[in-house]
Amino acid sequence: MPKMKTHRGAAKRFKKTGTGKIKRAKAYKGHLLGGKTSKRKRKLRKPGLVHKSEAHNIAKLIPYK
């Protein structure tokens, strides 16, 4: 069976943790930041985890990460 190709768009957006969970960046940090509180913007810097119901599909896109 041939090797699978990594989905390059997904590879740039997701990383796997040591325990196999999938990390993602938080949304709402791109623009219109003046109306958001400092606390909210600070919390958006931290990575989030992909929900387990979606993690299986994303893991298929990044098989070697």
Side-chain angles (χ1 to χ4, degrees):
M1 188 164 189
K3 288 193 264 184
M4 290 177 65
K5 285 194 173 182
T6 299
H7 188 286
R8 298 313 296 161
K12 293 167 189 173
R13 288 172 172 82
F14 302 104
K15 304 272 183 256
K16 281 189 182 167
T17 64
T19 57
K21 293 176 184 169
I22 299 175
K23 278 197 313 187
R24 62 169 178 84
K26 300 257 178 91
Y28 306 109
K29 189 67 170 51
H31 65 136
L32 298 175
L33 298 174
K36 297 177 175 106
T37 64
S38 300
K39 180 181 177 180
R40 183 174 169 193
K41 290 185 280 192
R42 191 165 56 245
K43 284 178 178 264
L44 290 173
R45 277 188 225 142
K46 298 186 179 179
L49 291 175
V50 171
H51 194 269
K52 62 182 180 182
S53 63
E54 297 170 333
H56 180 68
N57 290 331
I58 293 168
K60 281 197 244 178
L61 298 175
I62 50 171
Y64 305 111
K65 276 202 127 212

